[in-house]
mmCIF file of all heavy atoms in Angstrom:
data_model
loop_
_atom_site.group_PDB
_atom_site.id
_atom_site.type_symbol
_atom_site.label_atom_id
_atom_site.label_comp_id
_atom_site.label_asym_id
_atom_site.label_seq_id
_atom_site.Cartn_x
_atom_site.Cartn_y
_atom_site.Cartn_z
ATOM 1 N N GLY A 1 -12.045 -2.615 1.867
ATOM 2 C CA GLY A 1 -10.982 -2.306 2.806
ATOM 3 C C GLY A 1 -10.056 -1.222 2.332
ATOM 4 O O GLY A 1 -10.090 -0.805 1.164
ATOM 5 N N ILE A 2 -9.232 -0.776 3.255
ATOM 6 C CA ILE A 2 -8.268 0.271 2.978
ATOM 7 C C ILE A 2 -6.951 -0.120 3.634
ATOM 8 O O ILE A 2 -6.929 -0.748 4.700
ATOM 9 C CB ILE A 2 -8.768 1.633 3.494
ATOM 10 C CG1 ILE A 2 -7.873 2.771 2.988
ATOM 11 C CG2 ILE A 2 -8.875 1.656 5.010
ATOM 12 C CD1 ILE A 2 -8.480 4.140 3.224
ATOM 13 N N ALA A 3 -5.862 0.241 2.987
ATOM 14 C CA ALA A 3 -4.540 -0.040 3.533
ATOM 15 C C ALA A 3 -3.642 1.164 3.286
ATOM 16 O O ALA A 3 -3.639 1.719 2.183
ATOM 17 C CB ALA A 3 -3.944 -1.277 2.883
ATOM 18 N N THR A 4 -2.943 1.578 4.321
ATOM 19 C CA THR A 4 -1.922 2.608 4.183
ATOM 20 C C THR A 4 -0.609 1.878 3.976
ATOM 21 O O THR A 4 -0.083 1.254 4.900
ATOM 22 C CB THR A 4 -1.866 3.491 5.441
ATOM 23 O OG1 THR A 4 -3.173 4.021 5.694
ATOM 24 C CG2 THR A 4 -0.882 4.634 5.264
ATOM 25 N N VAL A 5 -0.076 1.933 2.750
ATOM 26 C CA VAL A 5 0.992 1.019 2.348
ATOM 27 C C VAL A 5 2.235 1.796 1.936
ATOM 28 O O VAL A 5 2.153 2.766 1.175
ATOM 29 C CB VAL A 5 0.537 0.124 1.177
ATOM 30 C CG1 VAL A 5 1.569 -0.959 0.903
ATOM 31 C CG2 VAL A 5 -0.814 -0.495 1.457
ATOM 32 N N THR A 6 3.374 1.353 2.422
ATOM 33 C CA THR A 6 4.634 1.951 2.026
ATOM 34 C C THR A 6 5.027 1.506 0.624
ATOM 35 O O THR A 6 4.640 0.432 0.161
ATOM 36 C CB THR A 6 5.750 1.572 3.011
ATOM 37 O OG1 THR A 6 6.983 2.134 2.557
ATOM 38 C CG2 THR A 6 5.919 0.070 3.101
ATOM 39 N N ARG A 7 5.834 2.355 -0.035
ATOM 40 C CA ARG A 7 6.385 1.971 -1.327
ATOM 41 C C ARG A 7 7.681 1.194 -1.161
ATOM 42 O O ARG A 7 8.224 0.686 -2.133
ATOM 43 C CB ARG A 7 6.638 3.227 -2.176
ATOM 44 C CG ARG A 7 5.347 3.854 -2.725
ATOM 45 C CD ARG A 7 5.644 5.031 -3.628
ATOM 46 N NE ARG A 7 4.516 5.321 -4.493
ATOM 47 C CZ ARG A 7 4.538 6.227 -5.468
ATOM 48 N NH1 ARG A 7 5.640 6.943 -5.687
ATOM 49 N NH2 ARG A 7 3.476 6.435 -6.215
ATOM 50 N N ARG A 8 8.177 1.106 0.080
ATOM 51 C CA ARG A 8 9.384 0.319 0.333
ATOM 52 C C ARG A 8 9.143 -1.139 -0.009
ATOM 53 O O ARG A 8 8.082 -1.684 0.226
ATOM 54 C CB ARG A 8 9.789 0.411 1.811
ATOM 55 C CG ARG A 8 10.470 1.705 2.223
ATOM 56 C CD ARG A 8 11.087 1.523 3.589
ATOM 57 N NE ARG A 8 11.715 2.758 4.064
ATOM 58 C CZ ARG A 8 11.228 3.509 5.030
ATOM 59 N NH1 ARG A 8 10.116 3.159 5.645
ATOM 60 N NH2 ARG A 8 11.850 4.608 5.410
ATOM 61 N N HIS A 9 10.176 -1.772 -0.528
ATOM 62 C CA HIS A 9 10.144 -3.216 -0.819
ATOM 63 C C HIS A 9 8.982 -3.597 -1.724
ATOM 64 O O HIS A 9 8.493 -4.731 -1.673
ATOM 65 C CB HIS A 9 10.090 -4.023 0.481
ATOM 66 C CG HIS A 9 11.106 -3.615 1.500
ATOM 67 N ND1 HIS A 9 12.459 -3.577 1.229
ATOM 68 C CD2 HIS A 9 10.949 -3.193 2.797
ATOM 69 C CE1 HIS A 9 13.100 -3.171 2.319
ATOM 70 N NE2 HIS A 9 12.222 -2.915 3.257
ATOM 71 N N SER A 10 8.495 -2.625 -2.521
ATOM 72 C CA SER A 10 7.413 -2.876 -3.496
ATOM 73 C C SER A 10 6.109 -3.301 -2.835
ATOM 74 O O SER A 10 5.280 -3.976 -3.463
ATOM 75 C CB SER A 10 7.847 -3.944 -4.519
ATOM 76 O OG SER A 10 9.030 -3.554 -5.193
ATOM 77 N N SER A 11 5.894 -2.919 -1.580
ATOM 78 C CA SER A 11 4.685 -3.353 -0.872
ATOM 79 C C SER A 11 3.422 -2.888 -1.563
ATOM 80 O O SER A 11 2.472 -3.661 -1.758
ATOM 81 C CB SER A 11 4.716 -2.830 0.567
ATOM 82 O OG SER A 11 5.809 -3.360 1.277
ATOM 83 N N SER A 12 3.367 -1.602 -1.958
ATOM 84 C CA SER A 12 2.168 -1.094 -2.616
ATOM 85 C C SER A 12 1.991 -1.743 -3.989
ATOM 86 O O SER A 12 0.860 -2.013 -4.417
ATOM 87 C CB SER A 12 2.234 0.426 -2.743
ATOM 88 O OG SER A 12 3.357 0.840 -3.489
ATOM 89 N N THR A 13 3.090 -2.024 -4.674
ATOM 90 C CA THR A 13 3.022 -2.667 -5.980
ATOM 91 C C THR A 13 2.418 -4.068 -5.868
ATOM 92 O O THR A 13 1.593 -4.482 -6.695
ATOM 93 C CB THR A 13 4.428 -2.763 -6.614
ATOM 94 O OG1 THR A 13 4.958 -1.449 -6.761
ATOM 95 C CG2 THR A 13 4.380 -3.439 -7.969
ATOM 96 N N ILE A 14 2.808 -4.809 -4.830
ATOM 97 C CA ILE A 14 2.282 -6.160 -4.627
ATOM 98 C C ILE A 14 0.786 -6.119 -4.384
ATOM 99 O O ILE A 14 0.016 -6.903 -4.960
ATOM 100 C CB ILE A 14 3.005 -6.849 -3.454
ATOM 101 C CG1 ILE A 14 4.464 -7.134 -3.839
ATOM 102 C CG2 ILE A 14 2.293 -8.142 -3.042
ATOM 103 C CD1 ILE A 14 5.322 -7.591 -2.692
ATOM 104 N N LEU A 15 0.324 -5.192 -3.543
ATOM 105 C CA LEU A 15 -1.102 -5.107 -3.246
ATOM 106 C C LEU A 15 -1.891 -4.727 -4.487
ATOM 107 O O LEU A 15 -2.987 -5.239 -4.723
ATOM 108 C CB LEU A 15 -1.352 -4.099 -2.128
ATOM 109 C CG LEU A 15 -2.785 -4.041 -1.560
ATOM 110 C CD1 LEU A 15 -3.264 -5.423 -1.127
ATOM 111 C CD2 LEU A 15 -2.869 -3.060 -0.405
ATOM 112 N N ARG A 16 -1.327 -3.876 -5.318
ATOM 113 C CA ARG A 16 -1.995 -3.521 -6.573
ATOM 114 C C ARG A 16 -2.081 -4.731 -7.506
ATOM 115 O O ARG A 16 -3.102 -4.949 -8.164
ATOM 116 C CB ARG A 16 -1.253 -2.390 -7.262
ATOM 117 C CG ARG A 16 -1.412 -1.026 -6.601
ATOM 118 C CD ARG A 16 -0.640 0.041 -7.370
ATOM 119 N NE ARG A 16 -0.744 1.323 -6.724
ATOM 120 C CZ ARG A 16 -1.785 2.156 -6.860
ATOM 121 N NH1 ARG A 16 -2.796 1.796 -7.626
ATOM 122 N NH2 ARG A 16 -1.806 3.318 -6.238
ATOM 123 N N LYS A 17 -1.026 -5.520 -7.574
ATOM 124 C CA LYS A 17 -1.041 -6.699 -8.437
ATOM 125 C C LYS A 17 -2.119 -7.694 -8.013
ATOM 126 O O LYS A 17 -2.690 -8.406 -8.852
ATOM 127 C CB LYS A 17 0.325 -7.374 -8.422
ATOM 128 C CG LYS A 17 1.382 -6.645 -9.239
ATOM 129 C CD LYS A 17 2.699 -7.415 -9.238
ATOM 130 C CE LYS A 17 3.725 -6.720 -10.130
ATOM 131 N NZ LYS A 17 5.021 -7.441 -10.139
ATOM 132 N N LEU A 18 -2.398 -7.759 -6.723
ATOM 133 C CA LEU A 18 -3.410 -8.691 -6.236
ATOM 134 C C LEU A 18 -4.832 -8.193 -6.471
ATOM 135 O O LEU A 18 -5.779 -8.976 -6.343
ATOM 136 C CB LEU A 18 -3.199 -8.946 -4.742
ATOM 137 C CG LEU A 18 -1.908 -9.649 -4.348
ATOM 138 C CD1 LEU A 18 -1.862 -9.896 -2.855
ATOM 139 C CD2 LEU A 18 -1.752 -10.965 -5.107
ATOM 140 N N GLY A 19 -4.983 -6.916 -6.790
ATOM 141 C CA GLY A 19 -6.317 -6.383 -7.068
ATOM 142 C C GLY A 19 -6.627 -5.075 -6.389
ATOM 143 O O GLY A 19 -7.721 -4.523 -6.573
ATOM 144 N N GLY A 20 -5.695 -4.546 -5.590
ATOM 145 C CA GLY A 20 -5.907 -3.258 -4.967
ATOM 146 C C GLY A 20 -5.785 -2.122 -5.975
ATOM 147 O O GLY A 20 -5.238 -2.292 -7.069
ATOM 148 N N SER A 21 -6.296 -0.965 -5.612
ATOM 149 C CA SER A 21 -6.229 0.194 -6.488
ATOM 150 C C SER A 21 -6.218 1.460 -5.647
ATOM 151 O O SER A 21 -6.520 1.437 -4.450
ATOM 152 C CB SER A 21 -7.419 0.217 -7.462
ATOM 153 O OG SER A 21 -8.641 0.272 -6.749
ATOM 154 N N SER A 22 -5.886 2.578 -6.284
ATOM 155 C CA SER A 22 -5.871 3.851 -5.571
ATOM 156 C C SER A 22 -7.271 4.219 -5.129
ATOM 157 O O SER A 22 -8.256 3.953 -5.832
ATOM 158 C CB SER A 22 -5.319 4.964 -6.471
ATOM 159 O OG SER A 22 -3.974 4.734 -6.814
ATOM 160 N N LEU A 23 -7.371 4.816 -3.966
ATOM 161 C CA LEU A 23 -8.636 5.404 -3.540
ATOM 162 C C LEU A 23 -8.931 6.581 -4.462
ATOM 163 O O LEU A 23 -8.057 7.423 -4.693
ATOM 164 C CB LEU A 23 -8.523 5.866 -2.089
ATOM 165 C CG LEU A 23 -9.814 6.389 -1.442
ATOM 166 C CD1 LEU A 23 -10.817 5.248 -1.261
ATOM 167 C CD2 LEU A 23 -9.498 7.023 -0.091
ATOM 168 N N GLU A 24 -10.135 6.638 -5.024
ATOM 169 C CA GLU A 24 -10.478 7.682 -5.980
ATOM 170 C C GLU A 24 -11.540 8.616 -5.421
ATOM 171 O O GLU A 24 -12.425 8.194 -4.678
ATOM 172 C CB GLU A 24 -10.971 7.068 -7.284
ATOM 173 C CG GLU A 24 -9.895 6.292 -8.040
ATOM 174 C CD GLU A 24 -10.364 5.840 -9.412
ATOM 175 O OE1 GLU A 24 -11.566 6.039 -9.733
ATOM 176 O OE2 GLU A 24 -9.535 5.306 -10.172
ATOM 177 N N ILE A 25 -11.437 9.877 -5.815
ATOM 178 C CA ILE A 25 -12.426 10.891 -5.466
ATOM 179 C C ILE A 25 -12.916 11.492 -6.767
ATOM 180 O O ILE A 25 -12.155 12.133 -7.491
ATOM 181 C CB ILE A 25 -11.828 11.992 -4.539
ATOM 182 C CG1 ILE A 25 -11.316 11.375 -3.246
ATOM 183 C CG2 ILE A 25 -12.879 13.047 -4.240
ATOM 184 C CD1 ILE A 25 -9.905 10.891 -3.295
ATOM 185 N N ASN A 26 -14.184 11.221 -7.104
ATOM 186 C CA ASN A 26 -14.774 11.672 -8.374
ATOM 187 C C ASN A 26 -13.920 11.224 -9.563
ATOM 188 O O ASN A 26 -13.702 11.973 -10.518
ATOM 189 C CB ASN A 26 -14.928 13.197 -8.382
ATOM 190 C CG ASN A 26 -15.872 13.683 -7.299
ATOM 191 O OD1 ASN A 26 -16.890 13.050 -7.021
ATOM 192 N ND2 ASN A 26 -15.546 14.807 -6.684
ATOM 193 N N GLY A 27 -13.423 10.001 -9.493
ATOM 194 C CA GLY A 27 -12.673 9.424 -10.595
ATOM 195 C C GLY A 27 -11.213 9.810 -10.639
ATOM 196 O O GLY A 27 -10.482 9.352 -11.520
ATOM 197 N N VAL A 28 -10.760 10.611 -9.677
ATOM 198 C CA VAL A 28 -9.366 11.049 -9.639
ATOM 199 C C VAL A 28 -8.638 10.330 -8.506
ATOM 200 O O VAL A 28 -9.059 10.410 -7.341
ATOM 201 C CB VAL A 28 -9.271 12.571 -9.426
ATOM 202 C CG1 VAL A 28 -7.804 13.015 -9.365
ATOM 203 C CG2 VAL A 28 -10.023 13.309 -10.535
ATOM 204 N N PRO A 29 -7.561 9.594 -8.807
ATOM 205 C CA PRO A 29 -6.843 8.855 -7.754
ATOM 206 C C PRO A 29 -6.233 9.789 -6.729
ATOM 207 O O PRO A 29 -5.709 10.855 -7.069
ATOM 208 C CB PRO A 29 -5.753 8.099 -8.530
ATOM 209 C CG PRO A 29 -6.208 8.093 -9.957
ATOM 210 C CD PRO A 29 -6.990 9.356 -10.142
ATOM 211 N N LEU A 30 -6.316 9.402 -5.462
ATOM 212 C CA LEU A 30 -5.641 10.144 -4.404
ATOM 213 C C LEU A 30 -4.144 9.905 -4.535
ATOM 214 O O LEU A 30 -3.698 8.748 -4.561
ATOM 215 C CB LEU A 30 -6.139 9.666 -3.038
ATOM 216 C CG LEU A 30 -5.759 10.506 -1.825
ATOM 217 C CD1 LEU A 30 -6.484 11.845 -1.848
ATOM 218 C CD2 LEU A 30 -6.091 9.760 -0.537
ATOM 219 N N PRO A 31 -3.336 10.934 -4.629
ATOM 220 C CA PRO A 31 -1.905 10.736 -4.866
ATOM 221 C C PRO A 31 -1.182 10.209 -3.634
ATOM 222 O O PRO A 31 -1.691 10.302 -2.504
ATOM 223 C CB PRO A 31 -1.423 12.144 -5.225
ATOM 224 C CG PRO A 31 -2.373 13.051 -4.525
ATOM 225 C CD PRO A 31 -3.703 12.361 -4.574
ATOM 226 N N PRO A 32 0.023 9.655 -3.820
ATOM 227 C CA PRO A 32 0.833 9.232 -2.669
ATOM 228 C C PRO A 32 1.170 10.446 -1.788
ATOM 229 O O PRO A 32 1.021 11.600 -2.201
ATOM 230 C CB PRO A 32 2.092 8.658 -3.325
ATOM 231 C CG PRO A 32 1.711 8.374 -4.724
ATOM 232 C CD PRO A 32 0.681 9.385 -5.094
ATOM 233 N N TYR A 33 1.620 10.154 -0.569
ATOM 234 C CA TYR A 33 2.010 11.233 0.338
ATOM 235 C C TYR A 33 3.247 10.786 1.111
ATOM 236 O O TYR A 33 3.532 9.598 1.222
ATOM 237 C CB TYR A 33 0.868 11.589 1.304
ATOM 238 C CG TYR A 33 0.596 10.528 2.351
ATOM 239 C CD1 TYR A 33 1.119 10.611 3.635
ATOM 240 C CD2 TYR A 33 -0.197 9.421 2.039
ATOM 241 C CE1 TYR A 33 0.871 9.643 4.592
ATOM 242 C CE2 TYR A 33 -0.459 8.449 2.995
ATOM 243 C CZ TYR A 33 0.083 8.555 4.271
ATOM 244 O OH TYR A 33 -0.152 7.585 5.205
ATOM 245 N N TYR A 34 3.960 11.764 1.601
ATOM 246 C CA TYR A 34 5.143 11.483 2.408
ATOM 247 C C TYR A 34 4.761 11.470 3.875
ATOM 248 O O TYR A 34 4.154 12.405 4.380
ATOM 249 C CB TYR A 34 6.235 12.523 2.169
ATOM 250 C CG TYR A 34 7.488 12.263 2.981
ATOM 251 C CD1 TYR A 34 8.395 11.280 2.578
ATOM 252 C CD2 TYR A 34 7.745 12.963 4.160
ATOM 253 C CE1 TYR A 34 9.537 11.014 3.320
ATOM 254 C CE2 TYR A 34 8.880 12.699 4.917
ATOM 255 C CZ TYR A 34 9.779 11.731 4.491
ATOM 256 O OH TYR A 34 10.899 11.454 5.245
ATOM 257 N N ASP A 35 5.081 10.360 4.551
ATOM 258 C CA ASP A 35 4.791 10.234 5.985
ATOM 259 C C ASP A 35 6.062 10.562 6.768
ATOM 260 O O ASP A 35 7.036 9.804 6.718
ATOM 261 C CB ASP A 35 4.328 8.811 6.311
ATOM 262 C CG ASP A 35 3.784 8.683 7.718
ATOM 263 O OD1 ASP A 35 4.422 9.206 8.651
ATOM 264 O OD2 ASP A 35 2.724 8.054 7.890
ATOM 265 N N PRO A 36 6.070 11.685 7.501
ATOM 266 C CA PRO A 36 7.284 12.069 8.229
ATOM 267 C C PRO A 36 7.616 11.126 9.375
ATOM 268 O O PRO A 36 8.774 11.030 9.774
ATOM 269 C CB PRO A 36 6.955 13.475 8.735
ATOM 270 C CG PRO A 36 5.463 13.516 8.798
ATOM 271 C CD PRO A 36 4.987 12.659 7.681
ATOM 272 N N GLN A 37 6.600 10.417 9.903
ATOM 273 C CA GLN A 37 6.892 9.487 11.002
ATOM 274 C C GLN A 37 7.665 8.275 10.489
ATOM 275 O O GLN A 37 8.662 7.865 11.073
ATOM 276 C CB GLN A 37 5.600 9.020 11.678
ATOM 277 C CG GLN A 37 5.842 7.986 12.774
ATOM 278 C CD GLN A 37 4.563 7.519 13.447
ATOM 279 O OE1 GLN A 37 3.529 8.165 13.339
ATOM 280 N NE2 GLN A 37 4.640 6.385 14.135
#
């Protein structure tokens, strides 16, 4: 699965603690991005 997760309220941190990880491309993590919406 995939989740687009905010860093607000530690949401992304919680998902990582449960076992989630950054989406990787050739071993390189996709960096965070700013969502203007």
Side-chain angles (χ1 to χ4, degrees):
I2 190 168
T4 305
V5 189
T6 178
R7 287 184 160 186
R8 284 193 182 108
H9 311 305
S10 302
S11 297
S12 59
T13 300
I14 291 170
L15 188 54
R16 287 180 182 278
K17 284 183 177 180
L18 295 183
S21 60
S22 296
L23 186 68
E24 294 187 354
I25 300 88
N26 298 322
V28 179
L30 192 69
Y33 71 97
Y34 180 78
D35 190 315
Q37 177 180 342

